Amino acid sequence: MNKQQKELAEKILKLKNEKRALLLAHNYQRPEIQEIADYVADSIGLCRRAQQEKNAELLVFSTVNFMAESAVMLNPDKKVVIPAKNAFCPMAAMLPAEKVKLAKKKYPDAAVVLYVNTLAEAKAMCDVCCTSSNAVQVVNSLDEERVIFGPDSNLAWYVQQHTDKEIIPIPQRGFCYVHKLFSEGDILLAREQHPDAEVLAHPECKPEVQCIADFIGSTSQMYHHTIESPKKEFVIATETGLIDRMKREQPGKEYIPAYSEAICSAMKLNTLEKIYLALKNEEPTVTLPKPIMKKARKAVERMTEITGR
Ligand code: SF4
């Protein structure tokens, strides 16, 4: 952190204590934000931590829009603010509720499983949500033989490799533009340059990237894998913020980005300055209409019932 960032960080920490607020930062946040956050985790991990913090009244959710919505639905008694109000995930925007409705009409016998990376209005229309770490478990737990799955078609492909059910992706080519940046060539080059490294890829990466990775997992799974693995070098195919976290929290191993420009601009809209202002003014707040919140929460809770966490 530079001098200016340090001064801002001190002001944030002071205000956070005074207001009994929690600063929750996603794994893809800027390093200076991760450094002062109370928790750094994936989106559902952050929501769960907030639920455990009974005394916290204000949640500063340094993430993107759909994650802050999940925080609202799982913490209805707390005030949720998002520092960058325009931090919109383009992948979540690819699946408006209307598209879910149309798919349900087209495949009335299919169950609807939506990745948590969707907007609340879409979640409210599904049977159950999933994360990238439990998608296979959730799908395989269902009675239905056909499953409408969205919005990420690469995660849908990954699930299809681990189930006998028929996966119907909606939209047909939904994707995360950040994970789409990784190519087979990036992985092959990294392997050549780092022959002892293990290659870890997110299931939002393209199938050809997943096929040549040593390990496929969510950000939390990748994080824990690097701790447990005896390897000392890792090539990481996900947003570079996770690498910042690994370097800070688990020094002594080497983490190499599979592509150093894999940066989510929506995530990076959050800054220390915006966090300070969000804390001070307690806005922009995130709210949801009650009926949507209730239905979307039910879909997330069903996921918890299936996975036990
Ligand atoms: S990394 Fe991809 S899925 Fe995550 S917020 Fe950015 S665009 Fe959305």
Side-chain angles (χ1 to χ4, degrees):
M1 271 197 234
N2 60 33
K3 191 169 167 256
Q4 197 189 0
Q5 287 173 328
K6 273 189 193 145
E7 282 169 10
L8 254 179
E10 271 167 31
K11 280 162 86 174
I12 290 169
L13 294 174
K14 188 166 172 273
L15 204 51
K16 198 161 66 68
N17 282 342
E18 283 168 16
K19 296 203 170 195
R20 290 206 294 198
L22 273 186
L23 173 58
L24 301 132
H26 187 265
N27 286 321
Y28 297 160
Q29 289 300 285
R30 295 168 184 271
E32 64 272 19
I33 295 177
Q34 295 190 22
E35 235 177 89
I36 58 160
D38 292 294
Y39 300 110
V40 180
D42 59 26
S43 63
I44 290 295
L46 293 177
C47 293
R48 300 277 181 240
R49 291 307 292 252
Q51 283 178 313
Q52 289 159 12
E53 297 283 341
K54 304 282 179 223
N55 291 329
E57 287 162 11
L58 176 65
L59 305 179
V60 181
F61 233 69
S62 195
T63 57
V64 291
N65 57 343
F66 71 83
M67 297 185 183
E69 285 185 350
S70 298
V72 172
M73 66 183 79
L74 295 176
N75 296 274
D77 53 333
K78 297 183 170 90
K79 190 170 184 179
V80 177
V81 294
I82 183 165
K85 67 170 183 228
N86 52 344
F88 301 139
C89 166
M91 181 165 78
M94 287 175 195
L95 190 57
E98 192 54 30
K99 278 196 181 156
V100 183
K101 198 173 162 190
L102 288 175
K104 282 169 82 156
K105 218 169 159 187
K106 193 167 172 193
Y107 306 102
D109 61 321
V112 184
V113 178
L114 294 189
Y115 191 19
V116 285
N117 298 27
T118 42
L119 296 170
E121 56 165 39
K123 282 190 183 81
M125 300 200 66
C126 77
D127 295 308
V128 56
C129 285
C130 72
T131 65
S132 52
S133 60
N134 65 27
V136 172
Q137 186 187 359
V138 168
V139 165
N140 283 332
S141 74
L142 303 172
D143 293 334
E144 290 86 346
E145 285 311 313
R146 302 173 101 191
V147 177
I148 296 167
F149 189 99
D152 186 53
S153 60
N154 293 325
L155 180 60
W157 179 86
Y158 173 79
V159 173
Q160 186 65 84
Q161 309 312 301
H162 295 87
T163 185
D164 293 331
K165 297 180 191 291
E166 183 193 349
I167 304 295
I168 304 158
I170 57 161
Q172 216 163 10
R173 286 188 194 85
F175 63 91
C176 160
Y177 80 96
V178 180
H179 288 92
K180 206 181 168 188
L181 292 172
F182 298 103
S183 71
E184 201 181 356
D186 293 325
I187 307 298
L188 295 175
L189 183 65
R191 276 205 192 281
E192 214 175 288
Q193 291 172 339
H194 307 277
D196 294 330
E198 209 176 353
V199 176
L200 280 53
H202 196 280
E204 287 174 22
C205 292
K206 291 181 279 196
E208 59 265 37
V209 169
Q210 295 189 36
C211 283
I212 54 171
D214 298 311
F215 177 87
I216 301 163
S218 65
T219 53
S220 298
Q221 286 172 320
M222 282 195 236
Y223 178 83
H224 288 109
H225 183 80
T226 55
I227 296 175
E228 284 149 20
S229 169
K231 290 274 189 179
K232 295 274 180 242
E233 251 184 302
F234 303 92
V235 170
I236 311 283
T238 192
E239 212 272 354
T240 55
L242 182 67
I243 299 177
D244 295 325
R245 181 180 175 199
M246 288 167 168
K247 283 183 178 166
R248 194 183 58 256
E249 295 183 7
Q250 308 166 37
K253 293 193 175 188
E254 205 184 332
Y255 311 98
I256 304 131
Y259 179 58
S260 57
E261 299 299 310
I263 296 167
C264 175
S265 51
M267 284 281 182
K268 266 45 177 187
L269 285 174
N270 294 299
T271 59
L272 286 179
E273 194 169 10
K274 287 181 190 160
I275 289 173
Y276 173 69
L277 291 174
L279 255 173
K280 188 172 157 229
N281 303 325
E282 300 191 16
E283 58 179 30
T285 49
V286 184
T287 53
L288 286 171
K290 278 219 168 83
I292 288 192
M293 180 154 95
K294 211 172 145 195
K295 284 187 195 156
R297 184 186 165 117
K298 216 169 143 198
V300 175
E301 281 171 348
R302 188 166 172 207
M303 169 184 83
T304 311
E305 279 160 27
I306 292 168
T307 62
R309 61 193 176 85

